[in-house]
Amino acid sequence: MREASLPSFYTSMTFKEKVADLLEKGLQEKPSLFLVDLTITDSYKIMVTLDGDNGVSLQDCIDISRAIEHNLDREEQDFSLEVASAGVSTPLKLVRQFKKNIGRTLKVKIASETIEATLIEASDDYITLSWKAREPKKIGKGKETVEHQRDIPYADIKEAIVIIIF
């Protein structure tokens, strides 16, 4: 009978609104964390994907899970809950994710090509990539190493993944 202890405005909210509100409150307790994705299926499976400026620990996932689970009533609506960190191969979606990965190598797909390069800047509107390529010399035979730098607006990015180099 947890419903009685909840504020009255919760009773008029939809299930998804309740979850989003509880998630937001949980994230306010941990300002270095941020939401990448929240999905609630028709069968009430809640899937939360988090990222953090300093990574996401198991304890972070547990804390956010508890912030949601302990404030929902399974008698009112049965649900399952999964809280996870954005994995290494998860595409970057948010400006904040790009900013935390400055200096790392990315594989960025845009409409016409895929570029593997170092992320050297992430503003609020675009990213700047830098890479070296072997190209034919302008004069004479052979090849030379040429440095490239390119600004790519977020709107043009189809997918961006951090490349892990061992």
Side-chain angles (χ1 to χ4, degrees):
M1 290 291 239
R2 249 183 260 155
E3 187 68 66
S5 65
L6 291 175
S8 60
F9 65 87
Y10 272 110
T11 56
S12 63
M13 296 173 85
T14 67
F15 184 76
K16 183 163 185 156
E17 289 170 336
K18 286 180 190 178
V19 171
D21 185 63
L22 293 168
L23 176 58
E24 186 179 323
K25 287 179 178 158
L27 290 172
Q28 286 173 357
E29 301 290 316
K30 296 182 167 280
S32 71
L33 297 180
F34 52 93
L35 179 66
V36 174
D37 192 37
L38 168 62
T39 305
I40 301 176
T41 67
D42 291 340
S43 60
Y44 296 96
K45 180 176 182 181
I46 305 165
M47 293 170 285
V48 178
T49 305
L50 303 173
D51 203 345
D53 297 325
N54 306 309
V56 179
S57 70
L58 177 59
Q59 189 61 50
D60 292 332
C61 292
I62 291 168
D63 293 343
I64 296 300
S65 177
R66 286 182 181 154
I68 296 169
E69 188 169 13
H70 290 282
N71 292 296
L72 291 175
D73 186 358
R74 287 188 189 274
E75 297 293 320
E76 181 185 310
Q77 178 59 61
D78 194 27
F79 63 91
S80 65
L81 175 62
E82 179 182 298
V83 178
S85 63
V88 172
S89 62
T90 305
L92 304 179
K93 293 182 177 182
L94 308 173
V95 172
R96 194 165 170 182
Q97 288 179 295
F98 283 95
K99 288 183 177 183
K100 88 169 212 175
N101 283 293
I102 290 173
R104 297 183 83 177
T105 302
L106 301 184
K107 184 178 196 177
V108 179
K109 290 182 186 174
I110 55 176
S112 59
E113 63 185 311
T114 299
I115 303 168
E116 195 168 310
T118 302
L119 176 63
I120 60 170
E121 185 182 339
S123 75
D124 290 338
D125 303 312
Y126 62 89
I127 62 171
T128 303
L129 298 175
S130 174
W131 70 96
K132 294 178 183 174
R134 297 285 292 162
E135 297 179 356
K137 289 183 178 179
K138 303 230 184 306
I139 300 171
K141 295 180 180 179
K143 292 187 173 192
E144 61 185 347
T145 301
V146 179
E147 289 218 21
H148 294 278
Q149 188 168 312
R150 185 159 162 196
D151 295 337
I152 302 172
Y154 292 111
D156 293 352
I157 299 172
K158 304 274 186 238
E159 183 179 72
I161 299 174
V162 175
I163 303 295
I164 302 301
I165 300 171
F166 294 98

